[in-house]
Amino acid sequence: MLNSFPAEEYKLPFFIEEGFSRRRCPSCGEYFWAQGSEQETCGESTSDGCACYSFLNNPPTLKRYSLSEMREAFLSFFEKQNHTRIKPYPVVARWREDIYLTHASIIDFQPYVTDGIVPPPANPLVIAQPCIRLVDISNTGPTFGRHLTIFEMGGHHAFNYPDKEVYWKDNTVRYHHKFMTEILGVKSEEVVYKESVWVGGGNAGPDVECIIRGLEVATLVFMQYKVVNSKFFKLPIRTVDTGYGLDRLAWLSQGVPSCFHAIYGNLLDKIFSMANLDKIDDKLLLSVARHSGLVTIDKNANRLIARKKVAERVGLPLNKLEKILTPIENTFAIADHTKCLSFLLSEGIVPSNIKEGYLARMLFRRTYRLLQSLKMEPEMFYKIISMQVDFWSKDYAHIKKREDEIIEMIKVEEEKFKDTIKRGRGKIERIVDEIKDNKRSFPNNKLSELYDSHGITPEMVKKIANEKGVKVEIPTDFYASIANRHLQTEKLGKEEKILAKEKIKIDELPSTDLLYYDDAYIREFEAKILNVINGNYLVLNRTAFYPEGGGQPADSGFLLVNKKKIDIIDVQKKGNVVLHEIKGSIEVEKGTVVHGVLDWDKRYALMRAHTATHLINGAARRVLGDHVWQHGAQKGVSVTRIDITHYRRLSPDEIHKIETFANQVILAEIEVETASMSRNKAESLYGFRLYQGGAVPGKDIRVVRTGDWDVEACGGTHLKNTREMGFIKIVYTERIQDGVERLGYSTGLQALANIQKNEGLLWKVSEILESPVDKLDKTAVKLVKELKRANSQNRKLIKELATKESATLKQGKLVQLAKKIKGIRIIERDFEKKINLELMVQTANEIIKQNEATVALFFGANKKTANILVMAGKVAVKKGINACFVVNKVSPIIGGGGGGRANFAQGGGTKPEKIREAIQKAKEIIEKQIQE
RNA sequence: GGGCCGGUAGUUCAGCUGGUAUGAACGCCUGACUUGCACUCAGGAGGUCUGGGGUUCAAAUCCCCACCGGUCCA
């Protein structure tokens, strides 16, 4: 991988004109451009210590800007420079398959714009994009706001096409410089440009980082390469990708101790006072802030090492600084995380244990722990979230609309987390108690298991163990070892299916004309054969066969080729070409005209299913809330399913409501309209709700709209009108993941069939129970009650029987079977064909209870099996009886095995005819045991 | 998308190298002693060991499937 570009790449006319010169930082060794002769180092407050922040209490700007003022200054400046202002995109990147969250402004335009598939919404453009970067989560706080999990990136972007140049490196830097100096009023010689290389998201290019008074405030990236296997390939479109840290710029202009002070102002003060941190030594805070650039927590450097450096410079003992700073940093993090959560949840992320939902859960749990560490009550969480909602609604109105849902989801999360903690505590206590009893140390593998499988952090284990006086050592590489564990399992699980596909040069074939998009109701069509691949894949110039896609299975049917019927067994789309897989193989000339006929019953059922999916989705959103998104779907002829995000199990009421809503739409006879339109238009008309089925590729998007009920980007075939569906019935629901509910449903006659099936079942049960259907619930309750009573009575009876049985034995009716040797009674009893092990055991128990100097030798045999049971009282065991040994030795005679303990053992076998022989042998062994 | 853990009394769990659920604690019921702090003591009730298959003489325990839940990572 390239780690530097030639110096030429950075030698811009602007630098030469303005008297900038290229220098090398003696501290970090990197090259930079600066104007004045005074600038010796790169001027950035790095972990190498090239500089510290000199803007604190001493901002270089003409005035102080709040974040929203800074945003406006940035946007309007670039508007004046002929950039079009674009509305921010969501923080959840639903239009992309490769990532969950928007972590830079350029994300909005990848991959379609940067790859040249779709034109940009404007060119050049300017945007202020809220971004989420959870990779920086451990730095959020300790770096005083240089890192944030949520921040706003100002970006002015230009997309340069081979035939249309907008602007490139030189102008980009000129714009930047103009903004910093003319608008913000920073002195020109205070702006330092550092050379660097930017690689990310499969793209790369040179970039310059802009440093002012120690703080990096912007990165200007010149994206011009695609990275494939560590090699760079020139892209046809060169993209100006700039990122201005609007939060950092606000910080710079205010000169306050931290970026959090700059962003949140009064809100931060309130959180501080909620955390009982009213008396903060501002002087100390500022002097720590000056050196906070030294701190960066990553895999190589931990919090303590960074803190040590700061402590040295501030001149305080490490532990004292640690004690003062930790609560402050935690409060910073709380301010940041609660904002991040508000944004995430407002866009319908449901906390769960998979995908983006997991990120929300992780963020929640981290914040919750931070609150605990500050001894803040959980109610504070809600208060702060509400404060955040109000604070940000001024600029992002949609957040306020979702406030109730946000609070509800946090409530559910809190309950879940409390449960986890409670369970965890119990688990730890049990382990610790056991360790204490055995005086062993806490095993490390237990620590990993607790964390990995039960979500219990080693810190929590340590705390609880310490309370109980057991020492726990957390290995320093604990989290690394967990990561390692996952790497290993990942390797094992990665058994990629290599589909040995024949090498078809699909790209060279003309794209298939898709008749089903012109009219979804075409059942028969004429087409020409363009190609036959491998003898069994037909390529036609046009087709009405729908290829598998968007959760809709492929059509089936047949083709008439030279009057011969050929069955279509699968249809797939590769690129723009539809492949028809046929049964068997065929030899046919190219250009032959064929007649295609669809299996219409199947297709029509799938159309109903597909439209039904949109209805259910719309209904679920109305019943459950706006956080509901489609998480996946599979259409079927008899049952179709949709997975939706929701934070709770669906109640029967909710299911019925969804069902009712969907049926009301059917009765309302709503037209289903499909339209193809440009991505930009579709997004601006309907918003990102479109992407229910995930990211959709391509320049143009097919939009399926069911009145006001539902709008989705969808490539499937749909009914013309909802009335054709007839009827819809939800037949099952299940929870496939925490936060994801699956709904299964059928339409039309199939729905009726499903109901009839269930009704049939009801009738059958009613017949069996001899109870009318409407009384079945009561009958069932009664029956279960009775069954329980019968069971317990049965147990009682067995006990009673056992008592009687033992009494009989004692009375001597069967005394001939009892034998006394050295004071030990051997009671032999044949239960014959009535082998009831429980009765045998209970009877033996009773006998032993009466006289511990007894050995019970019970047995029974029916046609199939034989059983032997030996039980010895305490006295008998002391005399040397070992029931287990006896049964073990004897059971093979009856063709089986057996075992147990010294006082009790049972065995059996499949040769009942040999039972007498076995018992004889058993007696011999027992007698021998007593003799010895 | 991948991995790990679990489902046993009303509750939290033990038992799981197959062999009696004498299961434990808390809760519940009855009685005694007390009448104020998790009172104490004596006794008792309470289980189709999530469901369905399989292996076995024998399955809560081993194997497979389904359902329900927990958790870590991308």
PDB file of all heavy atoms in Angstrom, chain B residues 51-61:
ATOM      1  P     G B  51     -41.460 -30.548  27.890  1.00  0.00           P
ATOM      2  OP1   G B  51     -42.517 -31.216  28.656  1.00  0.00           O
ATOM      3  OP2   G B  51     -40.056 -31.032  27.984  1.00  0.00           O
ATOM      4  O5'   G B  51     -41.869 -30.521  26.369  1.00  0.00           O
ATOM      5  C5'   G B  51     -43.171 -30.105  25.977  1.00  0.00           C
ATOM      6  C4'   G B  51     -43.280 -30.075  24.479  1.00  0.00           C
ATOM      7  O4'   G B  51     -42.351 -29.086  23.952  1.00  0.00           O
ATOM      8  C3'   G B  51     -42.865 -31.367  23.776  1.00  0.00           C
ATOM      9  O3'   G B  51     -43.905 -32.316  23.767  1.00  0.00           O
ATOM     10  C2'   G B  51     -42.525 -30.864  22.382  1.00  0.00           C
ATOM     11  O2'   G B  51     -43.679 -30.593  21.624  1.00  0.00           O
ATOM     12  C1'   G B  51     -41.820 -29.542  22.713  1.00  0.00           C
ATOM     13  N9    G B  51     -40.369 -29.732  22.863  1.00  0.00           N
ATOM     14  C8    G B  51     -39.636 -29.767  24.018  1.00  0.00           C
ATOM     15  N7    G B  51     -38.359 -29.944  23.815  1.00  0.00           N
ATOM     16  C5    G B  51     -38.240 -30.033  22.425  1.00  0.00           C
ATOM     17  C6    G B  51     -37.099 -30.215  21.607  1.00  0.00           C
ATOM     18  O6    G B  51     -35.925 -30.360  21.952  1.00  0.00           O
ATOM     19  N1    G B  51     -37.434 -30.250  20.252  1.00  0.00           N
ATOM     20  C2    G B  51     -38.706 -30.107  19.765  1.00  0.00           C
ATOM     21  N2    G B  51     -38.835 -30.169  18.440  1.00  0.00           N
ATOM     22  N3    G B  51     -39.784 -29.927  20.512  1.00  0.00           N
ATOM     23  C4    G B  51     -39.480 -29.902  21.832  1.00  0.00           C
ATOM     24  P     G B  52     -43.520 -33.865  23.777  1.00  0.00           P
ATOM     25  OP1   G B  52     -44.797 -34.593  23.944  1.00  0.00           O
ATOM     26  OP2   G B  52     -42.403 -34.105  24.708  1.00  0.00           O
ATOM     27  O5'   G B  52     -42.994 -34.099  22.298  1.00  0.00           O
ATOM     28  C5'   G B  52     -43.822 -33.800  21.178  1.00  0.00           C
ATOM     29  C4'   G B  52     -43.063 -34.018  19.905  1.00  0.00           C
ATOM     30  O4'   G B  52     -42.054 -32.994  19.752  1.00  0.00           O
ATOM     31  C3'   G B  52     -42.267 -35.308  19.843  1.00  0.00           C
ATOM     32  O3'   G B  52     -43.090 -36.415  19.573  1.00  0.00           O
ATOM     33  C2'   G B  52     -41.274 -34.994  18.726  1.00  0.00           C
ATOM     34  O2'   G B  52     -41.876 -35.063  17.454  1.00  0.00           O
ATOM     35  C1'   G B  52     -40.930 -33.537  19.055  1.00  0.00           C
ATOM     36  N9    G B  52     -39.747 -33.461  19.920  1.00  0.00           N
ATOM     37  C8    G B  52     -39.698 -33.297  21.283  1.00  0.00           C
ATOM     38  N7    G B  52     -38.478 -33.287  21.758  1.00  0.00           N
ATOM     39  C5    G B  52     -37.677 -33.451  20.645  1.00  0.00           C
ATOM     40  C6    G B  52     -36.256 -33.508  20.521  1.00  0.00           C
ATOM     41  O6    G B  52     -35.408 -33.424  21.412  1.00  0.00           O
ATOM     42  N1    G B  52     -35.855 -33.673  19.197  1.00  0.00           N
ATOM     43  C2    G B  52     -36.711 -33.785  18.133  1.00  0.00           C
ATOM     44  N2    G B  52     -36.135 -33.943  16.939  1.00  0.00           N
ATOM     45  N3    G B  52     -38.026 -33.721  18.222  1.00  0.00           N
ATOM     46  C4    G B  52     -38.439 -33.555  19.504  1.00  0.00           C
ATOM     47  P     G B  53     -42.484 -37.889  19.775  1.00  0.00           P
ATOM     48  OP1   G B  53     -43.595 -38.841  19.669  1.00  0.00           O
ATOM     49  OP2   G B  53     -41.596 -37.924  20.950  1.00  0.00           O
ATOM     50  O5'   G B  53     -41.596 -37.998  18.461  1.00  0.00           O
ATOM     51  C5'   G B  53     -40.784 -39.099  18.296  1.00  0.00           C
ATOM     52  C4'   G B  53     -39.757 -38.822  17.226  1.00  0.00           C
ATOM     53  O4'   G B  53     -39.258 -37.461  17.347  1.00  0.00           O
ATOM     54  C3'   G B  53     -38.527 -39.685  17.384  1.00  0.00           C
ATOM     55  O3'   G B  53     -38.739 -40.968  16.821  1.00  0.00           O
ATOM     56  C2'   G B  53     -37.451 -38.855  16.702  1.00  0.00           C
ATOM     57  O2'   G B  53     -37.544 -38.919  15.308  1.00  0.00           O
ATOM     58  C1'   G B  53     -37.852 -37.453  17.196  1.00  0.00           C
ATOM     59  N9    G B  53     -37.249 -37.177  18.509  1.00  0.00           N
ATOM     60  C8    G B  53     -37.907 -36.965  19.699  1.00  0.00           C
ATOM     61  N7    G B  53     -37.096 -36.751  20.705  1.00  0.00           N
ATOM     62  C5    G B  53     -35.833 -36.839  20.154  1.00  0.00           C
ATOM     63  C6    G B  53     -34.554 -36.704  20.756  1.00  0.00           C
ATOM     64  O6    G B  53     -34.284 -36.474  21.934  1.00  0.00           O
ATOM     65  N1    G B  53     -33.537 -36.874  19.837  1.00  0.00           N
ATOM     66  C2    G B  53     -33.708 -37.133  18.500  1.00  0.00           C
ATOM     67  N2    G B  53     -32.603 -37.260  17.766  1.00  0.00           N
ATOM     68  N3    G B  53     -34.893 -37.259  17.921  1.00  0.00           N
ATOM     69  C4    G B  53     -35.905 -37.095  18.796  1.00  0.00           C
ATOM     70  P     G B  54     -38.548 -42.221  17.797  1.00  0.00           P
ATOM     71  OP1   G B  54     -39.168 -43.375  17.138  1.00  0.00           O
ATOM     72  OP2   G B  54     -38.947 -41.833  19.161  1.00  0.00           O
ATOM     73  O5'   G B  54     -36.970 -42.386  17.750  1.00  0.00           O
ATOM     74  C5'   G B  54     -36.305 -42.411  16.487  1.00  0.00           C
ATOM     75  C4'   G B  54     -34.855 -42.095  16.639  1.00  0.00           C
ATOM     76  O4'   G B  54     -34.691 -40.801  17.262  1.00  0.00           O
ATOM     77  C3'   G B  54     -34.070 -43.013  17.564  1.00  0.00           C
ATOM     78  O3'   G B  54     -33.772 -44.241  16.939  1.00  0.00           O
ATOM     79  C2'   G B  54     -32.836 -42.160  17.833  1.00  0.00           C
ATOM     80  O2'   G B  54     -31.940 -42.185  16.746  1.00  0.00           O
ATOM     81  C1'   G B  54     -33.455 -40.761  17.953  1.00  0.00           C
ATOM     82  N9    G B  54     -33.677 -40.380  19.353  1.00  0.00           N
ATOM     83  C8    G B  54     -34.870 -40.230  20.003  1.00  0.00           C
ATOM     84  N7    G B  54     -34.730 -39.877  21.259  1.00  0.00           N
ATOM     85  C5    G B  54     -33.348 -39.788  21.432  1.00  0.00           C
ATOM     86  C6    G B  54     -32.591 -39.439  22.590  1.00  0.00           C
ATOM     87  O6    G B  54     -32.989 -39.143  23.716  1.00  0.00           O
ATOM     88  N1    G B  54     -31.220 -39.478  22.317  1.00  0.00           N
ATOM     89  C2    G B  54     -30.669 -39.810  21.124  1.00  0.00           C
ATOM     90  N2    G B  54     -29.340 -39.792  21.058  1.00  0.00           N
ATOM     91  N3    G B  54     -31.362 -40.124  20.043  1.00  0.00           N
ATOM     92  C4    G B  54     -32.692 -40.098  20.265  1.00  0.00           C
ATOM     93  P     U B  55     -33.697 -45.561  17.814  1.00  0.00           P
ATOM     94  OP1   U B  55     -33.547 -46.709  16.888  1.00  0.00           O
ATOM     95  OP2   U B  55     -34.788 -45.523  18.803  1.00  0.00           O
ATOM     96  O5'   U B  55     -32.320 -45.366  18.581  1.00  0.00           O
ATOM     97  C5'   U B  55     -31.088 -45.313  17.847  1.00  0.00           C
ATOM     98  C4'   U B  55     -29.940 -45.091  18.806  1.00  0.00           C
ATOM     99  O4'   U B  55     -30.050 -43.762  19.402  1.00  0.00           O
ATOM    100  C3'   U B  55     -29.926 -46.021  20.014  1.00  0.00           C
ATOM    101  O3'   U B  55     -29.358 -47.289  19.704  1.00  0.00           O
ATOM    102  C2'   U B  55     -29.086 -45.225  21.009  1.00  0.00           C
ATOM    103  O2'   U B  55     -27.704 -45.315  20.714  1.00  0.00           O
ATOM    104  C1'   U B  55     -29.567 -43.800  20.733  1.00  0.00           C
ATOM    105  N1    U B  55     -30.663 -43.411  21.645  1.00  0.00           N
ATOM    106  C2    U B  55     -30.315 -42.960  22.903  1.00  0.00           C
ATOM    107  O2    U B  55     -29.158 -42.858  23.281  1.00  0.00           O
ATOM    108  N3    U B  55     -31.373 -42.624  23.717  1.00  0.00           N
ATOM    109  C4    U B  55     -32.713 -42.706  23.405  1.00  0.00           C
ATOM    110  O4    U B  55     -33.543 -42.374  24.244  1.00  0.00           O
ATOM    111  C5    U B  55     -32.992 -43.188  22.083  1.00  0.00           C
ATOM    112  C6    U B  55     -31.986 -43.520  21.267  1.00  0.00           C
ATOM    113  P     U B  56     -30.092 -48.600  20.171  1.00  0.00           P
ATOM    114  OP1   U B  56     -29.303 -49.731  19.675  1.00  0.00           O
ATOM    115  OP2   U B  56     -31.535 -48.470  19.829  1.00  0.00           O
ATOM    116  O5'   U B  56     -29.966 -48.547  21.753  1.00  0.00           O
ATOM    117  C5'   U B  56     -28.679 -48.607  22.362  1.00  0.00           C
ATOM    118  C4'   U B  56     -28.807 -48.428  23.845  1.00  0.00           C
ATOM    119  O4'   U B  56     -29.301 -47.089  24.125  1.00  0.00           O
ATOM    120  C3'   U B  56     -29.839 -49.320  24.520  1.00  0.00           C
ATOM    121  O3'   U B  56     -29.326 -50.623  24.761  1.00  0.00           O
ATOM    122  C2'   U B  56     -30.124 -48.551  25.802  1.00  0.00           C
ATOM    123  O2'   U B  56     -29.099 -48.759  26.757  1.00  0.00           O
ATOM    124  C1'   U B  56     -30.067 -47.102  25.305  1.00  0.00           C
ATOM    125  N1    U B  56     -31.414 -46.557  25.016  1.00  0.00           N
ATOM    126  C2    U B  56     -32.054 -45.877  26.038  1.00  0.00           C
ATOM    127  O2    U B  56     -31.555 -45.708  27.132  1.00  0.00           O
ATOM    128  N3    U B  56     -33.309 -45.417  25.733  1.00  0.00           N
ATOM    129  C4    U B  56     -33.969 -45.554  24.535  1.00  0.00           C
ATOM    130  O4    U B  56     -35.097 -45.088  24.404  1.00  0.00           O
ATOM    131  C5    U B  56     -33.237 -46.285  23.520  1.00  0.00           C
ATOM    132  C6    U B  56     -32.019 -46.742  23.796  1.00  0.00           C
ATOM    133  P     C B  57     -30.283 -51.862  24.646  1.00  0.00           P
ATOM    134  OP1   C B  57     -29.461 -53.067  24.828  1.00  0.00           O
ATOM    135  OP2   C B  57     -31.103 -51.675  23.433  1.00  0.00           O
ATOM    136  O5'   C B  57     -31.244 -51.705  25.902  1.00  0.00           O
ATOM    137  C5'   C B  57     -32.407 -52.530  26.014  1.00  0.00           C
ATOM    138  C4'   C B  57     -32.995 -52.380  27.396  1.00  0.00           C
ATOM    139  O4'   C B  57     -32.079 -52.923  28.372  1.00  0.00           O
ATOM    140  C3'   C B  57     -33.209 -50.949  27.856  1.00  0.00           C
ATOM    141  O3'   C B  57     -34.431 -50.441  27.380  1.00  0.00           O
ATOM    142  C2'   C B  57     -33.197 -51.096  29.371  1.00  0.00           C
ATOM    143  O2'   C B  57     -34.421 -51.588  29.855  1.00  0.00           O
ATOM    144  C1'   C B  57     -32.122 -52.174  29.565  1.00  0.00           C
ATOM    145  N1    C B  57     -30.788 -51.621  29.814  1.00  0.00           N
ATOM    146  C2    C B  57     -30.514 -51.011  31.058  1.00  0.00           C
ATOM    147  O2    C B  57     -31.429 -50.943  31.899  1.00  0.00           O
ATOM    148  N3    C B  57     -29.301 -50.521  31.308  1.00  0.00           N
ATOM    149  C4    C B  57     -28.337 -50.627  30.371  1.00  0.00           C
ATOM    150  N4    C B  57     -27.157 -50.116  30.665  1.00  0.00           N
ATOM    151  C5    C B  57     -28.584 -51.227  29.109  1.00  0.00           C
ATOM    152  C6    C B  57     -29.804 -51.723  28.880  1.00  0.00           C
ATOM    153  P     A B  58     -34.512 -48.940  26.873  1.00  0.00           P
ATOM    154  OP1   A B  58     -35.907 -48.650  26.524  1.00  0.00           O
ATOM    155  OP2   A B  58     -33.437 -48.748  25.874  1.00  0.00           O
ATOM    156  O5'   A B  58     -34.135 -48.130  28.195  1.00  0.00           O
ATOM    157  C5'   A B  58     -35.096 -48.031  29.244  1.00  0.00           C
ATOM    158  C4'   A B  58     -34.513 -47.271  30.398  1.00  0.00           C
ATOM    159  O4'   A B  58     -33.316 -47.935  30.866  1.00  0.00           O
ATOM    160  C3'   A B  58     -34.047 -45.854  30.076  1.00  0.00           C
ATOM    161  O3'   A B  58     -35.124 -44.959  30.112  1.00  0.00           O
ATOM    162  C2'   A B  58     -33.035 -45.600  31.181  1.00  0.00           C
ATOM    163  O2'   A B  58     -33.671 -45.236  32.386  1.00  0.00           O
ATOM    164  C1'   A B  58     -32.404 -46.981  31.356  1.00  0.00           C
ATOM    165  N9    A B  58     -31.144 -47.121  30.639  1.00  0.00           N
ATOM    166  C8    A B  58     -30.918 -47.757  29.438  1.00  0.00           C
ATOM    167  N7    A B  58     -29.664 -47.728  29.061  1.00  0.00           N
ATOM    168  C5    A B  58     -29.023 -47.023  30.079  1.00  0.00           C
ATOM    169  C6    A B  58     -27.683 -46.664  30.273  1.00  0.00           C
ATOM    170  N6    A B  58     -26.695 -46.966  29.425  1.00  0.00           N
ATOM    171  N1    A B  58     -27.380 -45.976  31.390  1.00  0.00           N
ATOM    172  C2    A B  58     -28.366 -45.670  32.244  1.00  0.00           C
ATOM    173  N3    A B  58     -29.656 -45.960  32.175  1.00  0.00           N
ATOM    174  C4    A B  58     -29.923 -46.652  31.055  1.00  0.00           C
ATOM    175  P     A B  59     -35.149 -43.737  29.101  1.00  0.00           P
ATOM    176  OP1   A B  59     -36.472 -43.690  28.489  1.00  0.00           O
ATOM    177  OP2   A B  59     -33.962 -43.814  28.220  1.00  0.00           O
ATOM    178  O5'   A B  59     -35.025 -42.507  30.096  1.00  0.00           O
ATOM    179  C5'   A B  59     -33.941 -42.307  30.970  1.00  0.00           C
ATOM    180  C4'   A B  59     -33.533 -40.853  30.953  1.00  0.00           C
ATOM    181  O4'   A B  59     -32.239 -40.744  30.315  1.00  0.00           O
ATOM    182  C3'   A B  59     -34.463 -39.944  30.176  1.00  0.00           C
ATOM    183  O3'   A B  59     -34.455 -38.653  30.768  1.00  0.00           O
ATOM    184  C2'   A B  59     -33.812 -39.876  28.801  1.00  0.00           C
ATOM    185  O2'   A B  59     -34.103 -38.676  28.131  1.00  0.00           O
ATOM    186  C1'   A B  59     -32.332 -39.924  29.171  1.00  0.00           C
ATOM    187  N9    A B  59     -31.475 -40.482  28.132  1.00  0.00           N
ATOM    188  C8    A B  59     -31.830 -41.200  27.025  1.00  0.00           C
ATOM    189  N7    A B  59     -30.814 -41.551  26.281  1.00  0.00           N
ATOM    190  C5    A B  59     -29.725 -41.021  26.942  1.00  0.00           C
ATOM    191  C6    A B  59     -28.346 -41.040  26.662  1.00  0.00           C
ATOM    192  N6    A B  59     -27.825 -41.641  25.604  1.00  0.00           N
ATOM    193  N1    A B  59     -27.528 -40.415  27.519  1.00  0.00           N
ATOM    194  C2    A B  59     -28.051 -39.818  28.582  1.00  0.00           C
ATOM    195  N3    A B  59     -29.325 -39.733  28.959  1.00  0.00           N
ATOM    196  C4    A B  59     -30.122 -40.360  28.077  1.00  0.00           C
ATOM    197  P     A B  60     -35.469 -38.307  31.904  1.00  0.00           P
ATOM    198  OP1   A B  60     -35.040 -39.032  33.118  1.00  0.00           O
ATOM    199  OP2   A B  60     -36.853 -38.479  31.388  1.00  0.00           O
ATOM    200  O5'   A B  60     -35.241 -36.744  32.131  1.00  0.00           O
ATOM    201  C5'   A B  60     -35.587 -35.823  31.114  1.00  0.00           C
ATOM    202  C4'   A B  60     -34.739 -34.592  31.212  1.00  0.00           C
ATOM    203  O4'   A B  60     -34.603 -34.238  32.604  1.00  0.00           O
ATOM    204  C3'   A B  60     -33.310 -34.780  30.708  1.00  0.00           C
ATOM    205  O3'   A B  60     -33.222 -34.502  29.340  1.00  0.00           O
ATOM    206  C2'   A B  60     -32.530 -33.774  31.534  1.00  0.00           C
ATOM    207  O2'   A B  60     -32.612 -32.483  30.961  1.00  0.00           O
ATOM    208  C1'   A B  60     -33.296 -33.771  32.858  1.00  0.00           C
ATOM    209  N9    A B  60     -32.692 -34.643  33.876  1.00  0.00           N
ATOM    210  C8    A B  60     -33.216 -35.774  34.428  1.00  0.00           C
ATOM    211  N7    A B  60     -32.445 -36.340  35.330  1.00  0.00           N
ATOM    212  C5    A B  60     -31.340 -35.515  35.363  1.00  0.00           C
ATOM    213  C6    A B  60     -30.149 -35.569  36.105  1.00  0.00           C
ATOM    214  N6    A B  60     -29.877 -36.512  37.004  1.00  0.00           N
ATOM    215  N1    A B  60     -29.242 -34.597  35.898  1.00  0.00           N
ATOM    216  C2    A B  60     -29.517 -33.638  35.001  1.00  0.00           C
ATOM    217  N3    A B  60     -30.603 -33.480  34.236  1.00  0.00           N
ATOM    218  C4    A B  60     -31.475 -34.457  34.467  1.00  0.00           C
ATOM    219  P     U B  61     -32.267 -35.319  28.394  1.00  0.00           P
ATOM    220  OP1   U B  61     -32.248 -34.642  27.089  1.00  0.00           O
ATOM    221  OP2   U B  61     -32.644 -36.746  28.501  1.00  0.00           O
ATOM    222  O5'   U B  61     -30.835 -35.162  29.072  1.00  0.00           O
ATOM    223  C5'   U B  61     -30.133 -33.912  29.023  1.00  0.00           C
ATOM    224  C4'   U B  61     -28.859 -34.038  29.812  1.00  0.00           C
ATOM    225  O4'   U B  61     -29.177 -34.586  31.110  1.00  0.00           O
ATOM    226  C3'   U B  61     -27.817 -34.948  29.179  1.00  0.00           C
ATOM    227  O3'   U B  61     -26.543 -34.353  29.241  1.00  0.00           O
ATOM    228  C2'   U B  61     -27.884 -36.219  30.025  1.00  0.00           C
ATOM    229  O2'   U B  61     -26.638 -36.869  30.147  1.00  0.00           O
ATOM    230  C1'   U B  61     -28.327 -35.680  31.370  1.00  0.00           C
ATOM    231  N1    U B  61     -29.093 -36.667  32.153  1.00  0.00           N
ATOM    232  C2    U B  61     -28.522 -37.187  33.298  1.00  0.00           C
ATOM    233  O2    U B  61     -27.415 -36.859  33.700  1.00  0.00           O
ATOM    234  N3    U B  61     -29.279 -38.105  33.959  1.00  0.00           N
ATOM    235  C4    U B  61     -30.532 -38.548  33.617  1.00  0.00           C
ATOM    236  O4    U B  61     -31.093 -39.383  34.327  1.00  0.00           O
ATOM    237  C5    U B  61     -31.058 -37.973  32.419  1.00  0.00           C
ATOM    238  C6    U B  61     -30.341 -37.071  31.739  1.00  0.00           C
TER     239        U B  61
END
